[in-house]
Amino acid sequence: MTDLNALSDEAFRAEVRRFVEAEYPPELRHPPHRLHWEQGRPWFDKLQARGWVAPGWPREHGGLGLDAGKQIILIEEYERHGVARLPDHGVIMLGPLLIRFGTQEQQERFLPRILAGEDIWCQGYSEPGAGSDLASLRTEAVPGTDQEGDHYVVNGQKIWTTLATDANWIFCLVRTDKGGKKQEGISFLLIDMRSPGVTVRPIINLARHDEFCEVFFDNVRVPRENLVGEPNKGWSMAKALLGFERIFLGSPRQSGYALARLKLLAERMGVFDEPDFQDRYTRLRMDLDDHKDLYETFVAVLRRGDTLGPDVSMLKLHQAELFQRITELMLEIAGENAGLLEPMGGNRDLHPAGQFIEARPTTIYGGSSEVQRGILAKNVLGLPG
Amino acid sequence: MTDLNALSDEAFRAEVRRFVEAEYPPELRHPPHRLHWEQGRPWFDKLQARGWVAPGWPREHGGLGLDAGKQIILIEEYERHGVARLPDHGVIMLGPLLIRFGTQEQQERFLPRILAGEDIWCQGYSEPGAGSDLASLRTEAVPGTDQEGDHYVVNGQKIWTTLATDANWIFCLVRTDKGGKKQEGISFLLIDMRSPGVTVRPIINLARHDEFCEVFFDNVRVPRENLVGEPNKGWSMAKALLGFERIFLGSPRQSGYALARLKLLAERMGVFDEPDFQDRYTRLRMDLDDHKDLYETFVAVLRRGDTLGPDVSMLKLHQAELFQRITELMLEIAGENAGLLEPMGGNRDLHPAGQFIEARPTTIYGGSSEVQRGILAKNVLGLPG
Amino acid sequence: MSAALDNAELAEAVRMLRDSAAGLASRGGDRRRVRALRFQPPGFDPAVLAAMAEQGWIGLLLPEQKGGAGLGMTALCALAEELGAALAPEPLVPAMLSGSLLAAAGADMPLERLVAGEALVLAAWQEAPSTLEAPGTPGAPRLFIPQAGGASAFLVPVRQAQGLELWLQPAEGAALQLEKTQDGGFFGTLRPEGGALLGSIGEDAVADALEQATLATAATLLGVMDQAFVLTLDYLRTRQQFGRPIGSFQALQHRAADLQIQIALSRASIAAAAALLDDGSTSRAARRAAVSRAKARASDAALLVTRQAIQLHGGIGYTDEADISLYLRRAMVLANQFGSAALHRRRFAAEAHDDMLGEDAA
Amino acid sequence: MSAALDNAELAEAVRMLRDSAAGLASRGGDRRRVRALRFQPPGFDPAVLAAMAEQGWIGLLLPEQKGGAGLGMTALCALAEELGAALAPEPLVPAMLSGSLLAAAGADMPLERLVAGEALVLAAWQEAPSTLEAPGTPGAPRLFIPQAGGASAFLVPVRQAQGLELWLQPAEGAALQLEKTQDGGFFGTLRPEGGALLGSIGEDAVADALEQATLATAATLLGVMDQAFVLTLDYLRTRQQFGRPIGSFQALQHRAADLQIQIALSRASIAAAAALLDDGSTSRAARRAAVSRAKARASDAALLVTRQAIQLHGGIGYTDEADISLYLRRAMVLANQFGSAALHRRRFAAEAHDDMLGEDAA
């Protein structure tokens, strides 16, 4: 395998672009929803054939071992081309965590199956009683021993589990100790979803898509060896895992794409040249370009090999609200089309109602805007408690 | 004296309009600042000659005894004509309080001197440590007795005292008991500003005007008979005094006048017909007209003889922010004139910087917008603590 | 019209209307019914529409000699607000619009059946999105007919040399296409063809009827946002996070206060416009300005409030099963009906008189 | 230009500039000096301006053979930010604008004296509010000359048949009117008359010099808002109300977070525009779009931040004696200099290329 890190940034970017343009299934570009595993499978196969499933993993674990700068280029090119995110929690979240905190046995057992597409992982963090307040989670794992060995018995419920219907494994934060501070006493557990007592219920969202699920645990037996790291240290492990991927929640691409669709809609509605519209459209363009400049200052941090600080919250906040404002203007100019359930005339790029709805959760998920503002105020600006 | 309450609303309005048009000094219309006592004196003399100094006081105390509906018409006509507010805390605030809670001796001693313009009162509520948090005030009155009788010794400081330099008396909330809840242990005290130990320092504000003052009390002796009502009940008396005047903090007149000046400025700057400006100007006009409709629903409450609820906070909040938005647009279109200290070409109506600055305190004084939103959330919407 | 009623009588009529609305489609109670009707043609319950007709609502604005209740816009806005709060999917406002057009054209027979709830006639007047103009272009497709799948016939204005004519085209055999709407209803596109001439109709009558429908739609939006806000306040009071009800967080309290102000402004603006229309003595320009101001405010405020209602509900707000989402969807459908906020701002700018301004400025 | 410097050298030059700025006019420290100079002609300290000249700042952008430092906009923006934060009233950016015009006209002698700090020559180019056009109308009054009372001479562009000429008019005997500005300085209005012809000057050179002054003004605004925010955060941390620091109230925290985002966007936008101008290989349209975007953002953000700084300071913020008010006043003066946000939005709309858009949309 050529050392991709040895390529210049320009050469690497060209390489990625050639790859996606040649190999990415055109019908899957810019999908309006997260793809289910089976829908994205053809693309996964291409990645696998090329050995590109896990760009960020070290090469000894079967990854590409790309540095942060190259990973950013890769994702930028994927975004530019409209490459869909696969159910990728195994690659993005679990893999790096096992590589850092897992035992050799855990690494050997789980990592190859992720690369092979044999295990599809989902993430069990949020709970009905703990949305933005993750530390107060209540799904409980009680240790026990029986003839088959040490294990935990898990009871409780997870929610907003992305694509749990597609997954055969789930990594969970579970409470193993109820004393002490809320952030303590939480452990990181790997649970086979085929275990007796696991139930998945898809949740239809506002976009009438079933991307999120509830996962119920009713006396689920989990072997002791599925615990990652030390017991009661799961919270700090999960936090340590928040890597440079956080920057992509603030990527300008989503808003850029929405702005292009806004323009298209405005032309279709015959209002593009109206001064009211032009004034607001110009403001949004300037917001987007300023956002892009701000984004690049964070990318520069990563390229230098530094880690992101809590101020990256700014990016996510501004991008989410900009995206929403763009789609709100779509709604305003769309006339009665703003109320349609399906795209206008079947053209996916002319669907103001759908895009408006698609923008809603960006200020809720991945740390709500309220939580992000609190982080900025306290951890960046140093305002008191 | 004719019974003004017996007139129809229309006849009364015409009567007021005739009066101000004939008698109000034209050079005092729409003054940019609060008038000092001596500046407003000619108008006070006209009011006094007509017996109109105290429209809301009962006739037996020398007032006009107007009902709420008539008082509103009176103030609407004053606002329309641009009649200045005189230093009127004696008429508006103290008089009604003495009439309701004062002894007969207090009423006989103080009320006639207010009507005669002999006593000019100011209000000593706010303190440096207690801006929006009035209940935490610390100016202290310690009871004592000497050869001249029972008295209090007052120490402390008041701030934002409007036109204290013009006043010879101040009514104060002072702490007489430090135990118990912060709202308790506060008394209502009348203090002669010529007493030894009283010092007044004018504060120059952002408009470079000296309308506000600090008042310092250094071992000031106040006779016991200057206490109004029961000791330690001053807070509830002062709150009970919050009468229908609160509605005028939400009057549309200030914003209406600002909008007229915005239009004038836009014409002068040659941007009035530009679509950007027209769009924003139209939004402000609609905001103002909607505000006027909302204001009228509160006026209707008063006309019915009912009292205002805490939801009147909405009016003050919206009016203050609307006024500010209008002056912000002035600044944006004014070019470099936005930075001038004096009016453009000496024309008082073309002074975007001055009007922008004039609008700043409306969201701070009289209950900051933050406090008003808290009142709305808790006392109107019933949100928890 | 309500000029015949004094204030106390009007207040009593409004109170009774609100009560009967609560009986048929209560503010809080029938979201299960709403869900059951969603996306199933015709998107509403014809039996409930018939019951509304029995209550006299389709004829609410019509004079008594035309079988109507002789009430005015203040009464209609109260009713529309209640039905908006209840998310009632029945096309009452479109039916009333048809009633006004039929009355103006002197078409007594179809009017009688419409008012009695025996036939749903829907006006097919619109040829472009977000408009209040009915050009009556012969043969041009008529767009965005609300709940068109339930109509027995369509009213088609057609321009002839001598003015506008009103035609009645039966639904049976009509070239009608249906599209699902976010709130579970159906917009129809009709290619007008054939039918029977009912009579001619004045431009002013059409404009007035559309004015009334616009304001009634604003009032519907008021009900939608108001009830969404009620549900949201309940949620803020009960949902716990970080160990306390989320409604105790200051940032959310302040946001709630801002939403309350927008609702109050909408209510005041709508009530003032209704009173102005009922007054009858004001100029057409003043009426248009008032209606446009009310609709622009209601459209913007309803989208703001329902959007924030989703946000304040957090993750659960983004699920289709959360009732709060029904209010957002209804607001999305109604916000631009009978003119978007932008259209109404332009209309206001063209029509309004600067009555607050000018006289005092130098 | 900075093209001659590599990244590390540029970073070092910027660091040194910031350090020497702190020596002359420190961010936090000289508000007493600022107050002492307010409203007293000429509104600034000529000795400090001379010291700035000694540091090589007036010639910062000029090539070394013209006595300059040969630095670029990245360096100038860093310096301007520091001086903005310090509220320095000395007219450095106007002096640099004059330097660029003199250099372009080949007027070496006055340029030498200007760069050396021996004479303050101010450009009298502006004939209308909020503009970036220098039409050079003969005899037309030149407006809004910053700190004009301190000038020894004025540079007046005058249009002739063959193009623009640059004239030097001595301040002595000139028809000059001064007006006080909110920040304690003075705007001058000059009726141009007489003087000496320095030479002709190209339209592009004037436009480029104004472009640079515009971006430097945006950077000055960045310093103003940034330091106002620092003072406000200090106040939020220390001021107690209702028994706790007001900065612990969530609504104020969230507002502070929003202001921080606006400051960060301003900083990023200005840095990107400076890099673009320093690059030299980009098109004029791209440079204009970038400068306009930076100035529009900085103007809007500076007014927002300083306005909110007053609000967050409460009553004390509305006093003239509170230092925070100095930042609002400076922002009011600078916001529309070299074009208001509205002007720059229009310019952006005309010049910017849709580089983020289009390629992926159907």
Side-chain angles (χ1 to χ4, degrees):
Chain A
M1 198 157 69
T2 57
D3 182 0
L4 294 168
N5 278 322
L7 293 180
S8 74
D9 282 358
E10 291 67 31
F12 177 69
R13 189 182 293 279
E15 172 70 16
V16 177
R17 195 171 295 196
R18 258 196 310 276
F19 174 50
V20 295
E21 285 175 359
E23 303 287 355
Y24 187 76
E27 68 280 10
L28 296 183
R29 291 186 69 186
H30 294 293
H33 312 295
R34 288 291 298 263
L35 294 191
H36 281 296
W37 172 251
E38 283 309 319
Q39 297 173 294
R41 181 81 204 213
W43 172 232
F44 182 86
D45 291 343
K46 300 278 190 188
L47 290 170
Q48 198 188 20
R50 205 179 176 94
W52 280 26
V53 169
W57 293 11
R59 299 176 70 156
E60 65 266 32
H61 289 293
L64 282 173
L66 290 186
D67 60 34
K70 291 284 196 303
Q71 288 187 61
I72 290 164
I73 291 170
L74 184 79
I75 297 178
E76 282 175 356
E77 287 302 310
Y78 283 4
E79 284 185 338
R80 194 198 55 79
H81 193 73
V83 171
R85 264 186 77 184
L86 298 170
D88 57 7
H89 281 97
V91 171
I92 303 285
M93 304 291 287
L94 182 66
L97 188 128
L98 285 182
I99 288 165
R100 181 151 163 204
F101 299 106
T103 61
Q104 191 177 344
E105 289 70 26
Q106 288 172 333
Q107 292 170 358
E108 287 172 359
R109 177 173 167 208
F110 291 111
L111 297 182
R113 296 181 56 83
I114 293 172
L115 294 174
E118 289 163 359
D119 285 347
I120 314 301
W121 286 85
C122 61
Q123 169 188 297
Y125 286 3
S126 293
E127 297 187 5
S132 292
D133 178 18
L134 211 54
S136 73
L137 51 82
R138 287 182 303 201
T139 294
E140 199 179 357
V142 177
T145 306
D146 60 13
Q147 64 279 17
E148 295 177 51
D150 292 347
H151 62 267
Y152 290 96
V153 176
V154 178
N155 278 288
Q157 181 191 349
K158 295 291 175 181
I159 196 168
W160 317 129
T161 315
T162 305
L163 298 172
T165 41
D166 296 28
N168 55 351
W169 280 86
I170 182 169
F171 55 92
C172 286
L173 289 175
V174 293
R175 186 159 294 286
T176 41
D177 186 348
K178 293 193 207 168
K181 284 180 28 182
K182 282 198 306 180
Q183 287 83 345
E184 294 162 12
I186 291 173
S187 298
F188 195 99
L189 213 54
L190 312 180
I191 305 179
D192 188 333
M193 296 185 74
R194 292 150 299 193
S195 312
V198 177
T199 320
V200 175
R201 187 182 78 92
I203 303 170
I204 307 297
N205 67 17
L206 222 55
R208 299 181 63 74
H209 189 250
D210 61 355
E211 161 179 339
F212 300 112
C213 301
E214 290 177 292
V215 182
F216 300 88
F217 301 95
D218 179 18
N219 285 317
V220 177
R221 188 187 181 285
V222 181
R224 176 69 176 75
E225 63 264 29
N226 287 12
L227 179 82
V228 182
E230 288 178 56
N232 301 332
K233 301 290 181 202
W235 174 255
S236 45
M237 281 187 347
K239 276 185 73 170
L241 198 71
L242 291 173
F244 79 90
E245 295 82 6
R246 283 180 299 161
I247 199 174
F248 295 110
L249 289 171
S251 161
R253 178 54 52 172
Q254 193 176 35
S255 289
Y257 192 60
L259 206 52
R261 286 168 154 178
L262 171 63
K263 183 179 180 185
L264 202 68
L265 178 67
E267 287 164 347
R268 171 68 64 98
M269 301 304 297
V271 302
F272 185 71
D273 293 319
E274 281 182 14
D276 294 13
F277 178 80
Q278 272 296 320
D279 181 49
R280 296 179 70 190
Y281 177 67
T282 299
R283 287 171 190 263
L284 293 170
R285 283 178 68 195
M286 294 172 88
D287 284 343
L288 175 63
D289 282 359
D290 286 350
H291 184 85
K292 201 180 153 202
D293 288 338
L294 183 62
Y295 178 78
E296 288 300 328
T297 67
F298 285 90
V299 169
V301 169
L302 294 175
R303 284 197 213 281
R304 284 199 304 269
D306 293 336
T307 52
L308 296 173
D311 56 344
V312 72
S313 281
M314 285 196 284
L315 277 186
K316 197 258 181 182
L317 255 174
H318 189 251
Q319 133 64 19
E321 296 181 356
L322 174 57
F323 181 34
Q324 290 191 341
R325 283 187 285 127
I326 294 168
T327 64
E328 285 155 23
L329 184 51
M330 284 185 194
L331 221 56
E332 288 180 46
I333 65 168
E336 281 82 351
N337 299 302
L340 291 179
L341 191 69
E342 305 292 342
M344 292 164 61
N347 180 346
R348 216 172 59 178
D349 285 317
L350 289 172
H351 190 13
Q355 285 146 20
F356 172 82
I357 281 177
E358 194 188 328
R360 292 302 105 206
T362 56
T363 51
I364 298 175
Y365 297 125
S368 72
S369 291
E370 290 78 15
V371 166
Q372 304 282 0
R373 284 193 170 83
I375 291 173
L376 268 181
K378 283 174 236 166
N379 302 351
V380 178
L381 303 178
L383 292 176
Chain B
M1 199 157 68
T2 56
D3 182 1
L4 294 168
N5 277 321
L7 294 179
S8 74
D9 282 357
E10 291 67 30
F12 177 70
R13 189 181 292 280
E15 172 70 16
V16 176
R17 194 171 293 197
R18 259 196 311 276
F19 174 49
V20 294
E21 285 174 359
E23 303 286 356
Y24 186 76
E27 68 280 9
L28 296 183
R29 289 185 70 185
H30 294 293
H33 312 296
R34 288 292 296 265
L35 294 190
H36 282 296
W37 172 252
E38 282 309 319
Q39 297 174 295
R41 181 80 205 214
W43 173 233
F44 182 86
D45 291 343
K46 301 279 191 188
L47 290 170
Q48 198 188 19
R50 206 179 175 95
W52 278 28
V53 169
W57 294 10
R59 301 177 68 157
E60 63 266 33
H61 289 292
L64 281 172
L66 290 186
D67 60 34
K70 291 284 195 303
Q71 288 186 61
I72 289 164
I73 291 170
L74 184 78
I75 296 178
E76 282 175 355
E77 286 304 309
Y78 283 3
E79 284 184 339
R80 193 197 56 78
H81 192 72
V83 171
R85 264 187 78 185
L86 299 170
D88 57 7
H89 282 97
V91 170
I92 303 283
M93 305 290 288
L94 182 66
L97 188 129
L98 286 182
I99 289 165
R100 182 151 162 205
F101 298 106
T103 61
Q104 192 177 344
E105 290 70 28
Q106 287 170 333
Q107 292 170 358
E108 288 172 0
R109 177 174 166 205
F110 291 111
L111 297 183
R113 296 182 55 84
I114 293 172
L115 294 175
E118 289 164 357
D119 284 348
I120 314 301
W121 286 85
C122 63
Q123 169 187 300
Y125 286 4
S126 293
E127 297 187 5
S132 292
D133 178 19
L134 212 53
S136 73
L137 52 82
R138 288 181 302 198
T139 294
E140 200 180 357
V142 176
T145 306
D146 61 15
Q147 65 281 15
E148 296 176 52
D150 291 350
H151 62 267
Y152 290 96
V153 176
V154 178
N155 278 288
Q157 181 191 350
K158 295 291 177 181
I159 197 169
W160 318 129
T161 316
T162 305
L163 298 174
T165 40
D166 297 28
N168 56 349
W169 280 87
I170 182 169
F171 54 92
C172 287
L173 289 175
V174 293
R175 186 159 296 284
T176 41
D177 186 349
K178 295 192 205 168
K181 283 179 28 180
K182 283 198 305 181
Q183 288 85 343
E184 293 162 12
I186 290 173
S187 298
F188 195 98
L189 212 54
L190 312 179
I191 305 179
D192 188 332
M193 295 184 74
R194 291 149 300 192
S195 311
V198 177
T199 319
V200 175
R201 187 182 79 92
I203 302 171
I204 306 298
N205 66 18
L206 221 56
R208 299 181 63 76
H209 189 250
D210 61 353
E211 162 179 340
F212 299 112
C213 301
E214 290 178 289
V215 183
F216 300 88
F217 301 94
D218 179 17
N219 285 317
V220 178
R221 187 186 182 285
V222 181
R224 176 68 177 74
E225 63 263 29
N226 288 12
L227 178 83
V228 182
E230 287 178 58
N232 301 332
K233 300 290 182 199
W235 175 255
S236 47
M237 281 185 349
K239 276 187 73 170
L241 198 71
L242 291 174
F244 78 92
E245 295 82 6
R246 283 180 299 160
I247 199 175
F248 295 110
L249 289 172
S251 160
R253 178 54 53 169
Q254 193 175 36
S255 290
Y257 191 60
L259 205 51
R261 286 168 154 179
L262 171 63
K263 184 179 180 184
L264 202 67
L265 177 68
E267 286 164 347
R268 172 68 66 97
M269 301 305 297
V271 301
F272 186 71
D273 293 318
E274 281 181 12
D276 294 13
F277 178 80
Q278 273 296 320
D279 182 49
R280 297 181 67 191
Y281 177 68
T282 300
R283 287 171 191 262
L284 292 170
R285 284 177 68 193
M286 295 172 87
D287 284 343
L288 176 63
D289 283 359
D290 285 351
H291 184 86
K292 201 179 154 200
D293 288 339
L294 183 61
Y295 178 78
E296 289 299 329
T297 66
F298 284 90
V299 169
V301 169
L302 294 175
R303 284 195 213 281
R304 284 199 306 268
D306 292 338
T307 52
L308 297 173
D311 56 344
V312 73
S313 281
M314 284 196 284
L315 277 186
K316 198 257 180 183
L317 256 174
H318 190 252
Q319 132 65 20
E321 295 180 355
L322 174 57
F323 181 33
Q324 291 191 340
R325 284 188 283 127
I326 294 169
T327 65
E328 285 155 24
L329 184 51
M330 284 186 194
L331 221 57
E332 288 180 46
I333 65 168
E336 282 83 349
N337 300 301
L340 291 178
L341 191 69
E342 305 292 343
M344 292 164 61
N347 180 347
R348 218 171 58 180
D349 285 317
L350 287 172
H351 191 13
Q355 285 146 20
F356 172 81
I357 282 177
E358 195 188 330
R360 291 304 105 202
T362 55
T363 51
I364 299 175
Y365 297 125
S368 72
S369 291
E370 289 78 15
V371 167
Q372 305 281 359
R373 284 195 169 83
I375 291 172
L376 269 181
K378 283 173 235 167
N379 302 350
V380 178
L381 303 179
L383 292 176
Chain C
M1 299 296 282
S2 66
L5 301 176
D6 69 18
N7 280 344
E9 285 168 343
L10 178 59
E12 177 60 13
V14 164
R15 197 192 57 71
M16 283 172 58
L17 263 177
R18 288 194 193 263
D19 280 357
S20 24
L24 257 184
S26 87
R27 282 193 166 231
D30 66 349
R31 295 192 292 266
R32 193 183 302 257
R33 177 178 90 89
V34 171
R35 284 189 180 277
L37 295 166
R38 287 204 303 169
F39 308 123
Q40 310 297 324
F44 65 94
D45 184 347
V48 171
L49 186 63
M52 289 176 171
E54 269 173 51
Q55 296 279 347
W57 295 350
I58 294 178
L60 196 79
L61 295 178
L62 298 173
E64 292 178 26
Q65 65 272 28
K66 295 270 190 185
L71 287 167
M73 287 307 296
T74 297
L76 172 54
C77 285
L79 177 61
E81 182 191 339
E82 295 298 321
L83 297 179
L87 295 173
E90 285 71 28
L92 182 69
V93 171
M96 295 177 76
L97 171 61
S98 302
S100 298
L101 297 180
L102 288 169
D108 288 347
M109 214 279 289
L111 177 59
E112 212 166 280
R113 297 197 60 217
L114 172 74
V115 168
E118 295 161 13
L120 176 58
V121 183
L122 289 176
W125 60 278
Q126 194 171 351
E127 299 175 30
S130 182
T131 179
L132 288 176
E133 307 292 322
T137 313
R142 302 301 199 262
L143 313 176
F144 306 117
I145 308 166
Q147 307 296 48
S152 55
F154 298 99
L155 282 181
V156 185
V158 178
R159 183 164 306 278
Q160 303 292 359
Q162 67 278 24
L164 273 185
E165 290 175 353
L166 199 61
W167 287 68
L168 187 73
Q169 180 180 346
E172 210 177 305
L176 180 72
Q177 282 191 323
L178 296 180
E179 280 185 292
K180 286 184 188 161
T181 53
Q182 285 283 340
D183 60 352
F186 295 83
F187 277 151
T189 303
L190 175 75
R191 192 164 288 279
E193 199 174 31
L197 175 63
L198 293 174
S200 66
I201 183 168
E203 308 270 351
D204 285 356
V206 175
D208 287 347
L210 288 173
E211 213 72 68
Q212 291 170 340
T214 304
L215 186 56
T217 302
T220 310
L221 282 162
L222 172 62
V224 171
M225 70 177 106
D226 193 64
Q227 186 62 22
F229 191 54
V230 165
L231 292 185
T232 302
L233 289 173
D234 283 348
Y235 188 79
L236 290 174
R237 286 188 208 103
T238 51
R239 164 78 171 167
Q240 303 270 327
Q241 225 160 29
F242 303 100
R244 51 194 180 111
I246 59 174
S248 69
F249 285 95
Q250 196 193 28
L252 304 194
Q253 290 192 343
H254 285 198
R255 209 175 306 159
D258 286 334
L259 300 180
Q260 166 67 13
I261 291 175
Q262 289 301 316
I263 296 171
L265 289 169
S266 303
R267 174 167 282 120
S269 187
I270 289 166
L276 204 76
L277 261 59
D278 286 344
D279 177 346
S281 73
T282 42
S283 71
R284 180 174 296 272
R287 296 202 307 271
R288 287 162 63 98
V291 168
S292 278
R293 181 156 59 78
K295 179 59 164 56
R297 172 73 55 186
S299 291
D300 281 347
L303 282 175
L304 174 71
V305 171
T306 53
R307 223 159 64 202
Q308 283 292 333
I310 298 292
Q311 177 73 21
L312 290 166
H313 274 76
I316 200 76
Y318 191 62
T319 63
D320 188 64
E321 62 198 56
D323 282 337
I324 196 66
S325 67
L326 299 173
Y327 293 86
L328 176 69
R329 295 188 195 279
R330 179 60 51 91
M332 289 169 71
V333 173
L334 293 179
N336 294 339
Q337 251 181 27
F338 299 106
S340 67
L343 174 133
H344 284 292
R345 280 193 295 270
R346 278 195 298 274
R347 223 173 68 123
F348 176 88
E351 303 282 3
H353 170 68
D354 268 1
D355 63 341
M356 285 291 301
L357 309 178
E359 59 177 351
D360 297 328
Chain D
M1 300 295 283
S2 67
L5 302 177
D6 70 17
N7 280 344
E9 285 167 341
L10 178 60
E12 176 60 13
V14 163
R15 198 193 56 73
M16 283 173 58
L17 263 178
R18 287 195 194 262
D19 280 356
S20 23
L24 256 184
S26 88
R27 281 192 167 234
D30 67 348
R31 296 193 291 269
R32 193 182 302 257
R33 178 179 90 89
V34 171
R35 284 190 180 276
L37 295 167
R38 288 203 302 168
F39 308 124
Q40 309 297 324
F44 65 95
D45 185 346
V48 172
L49 185 63
M52 290 176 171
E54 269 172 51
Q55 296 279 347
W57 295 351
I58 295 180
L60 196 79
L61 295 178
L62 298 174
E64 293 179 23
Q65 65 272 29
K66 293 268 189 187
L71 288 168
M73 287 307 296
T74 298
L76 172 54
C77 285
L79 178 60
E81 182 191 340
E82 294 298 321
L83 297 179
L87 294 174
E90 285 71 30
L92 182 69
V93 171
M96 295 177 75
L97 170 61
S98 302
S100 299
L101 297 180
L102 288 169
D108 288 347
M109 215 277 291
L111 177 59
E112 214 167 279
R113 298 197 60 214
L114 173 75
V115 169
E118 293 161 13
L120 177 58
V121 183
L122 290 176
W125 60 277
Q126 195 173 350
E127 299 175 31
S130 183
T131 180
L132 287 176
E133 307 292 322
T137 313
R142 302 301 198 264
L143 313 176
F144 305 117
I145 309 167
Q147 306 298 47
S152 55
F154 298 99
L155 281 181
V156 185
V158 179
R159 183 165 306 279
Q160 303 292 359
Q162 67 277 26
L164 272 186
E165 289 174 355
L166 199 61
W167 286 68
L168 186 73
Q169 181 181 347
E172 209 179 306
L176 179 72
Q177 282 192 322
L178 296 179
E179 279 186 292
K180 286 184 188 159
T181 52
Q182 285 283 338
D183 60 352
F186 295 84
F187 277 151
T189 302
L190 175 75
R191 192 165 287 280
E193 199 176 31
L197 175 63
L198 292 173
S200 66
I201 184 168
E203 309 270 352
D204 284 356
V206 175
D208 286 348
L210 289 173
E211 213 73 67
Q212 291 169 341
T214 303
L215 185 57
T217 302
T220 310
L221 283 162
L222 172 61
V224 170
M225 71 176 105
D226 193 64
Q227 186 62 22
F229 192 54
V230 166
L231 292 186
T232 303
L233 290 174
D234 283 348
Y235 188 80
L236 290 174
R237 286 187 208 104
T238 51
R239 166 78 170 167
Q240 303 271 327
Q241 223 160 33
F242 302 100
R244 51 192 181 113
I246 59 173
S248 68
F249 285 95
Q250 195 192 30
L252 304 195
Q253 291 191 342
H254 285 199
R255 209 174 307 158
D258 286 334
L259 299 181
Q260 166 67 12
I261 291 175
Q262 288 302 315
I263 295 171
L265 289 169
S266 304
R267 174 167 283 119
S269 186
I270 289 166
L276 204 76
L277 262 58
D278 287 342
D279 177 346
S281 73
T282 43
S283 71
R284 182 175 293 273
R287 296 202 308 269
R288 287 161 63 97
V291 168
S292 279
R293 181 155 59 78
K295 179 60 164 55
R297 172 71 57 184
S299 292
D300 281 347
L303 282 175
L304 174 71
V305 171
T306 53
R307 224 158 65 203
Q308 283 293 333
I310 298 291
Q311 177 74 20
L312 290 166
H313 273 76
I316 200 75
Y318 191 62
T319 64
D320 188 63
E321 63 198 56
D323 282 338
I324 196 67
S325 67
L326 300 173
Y327 293 86
L328 176 69
R329 293 188 195 279
R330 179 61 50 89
M332 289 169 72
V333 173
L334 294 178
N336 294 339
Q337 252 182 24
F338 299 105
S340 67
L343 175 133
H344 284 292
R345 280 194 295 270
R346 278 195 298 274
R347 223 172 69 122
F348 176 88
E351 303 282 1
H353 170 68
D354 269 1
D355 64 340
M356 284 292 300
L357 311 177
E359 58 176 351
D360 296 328

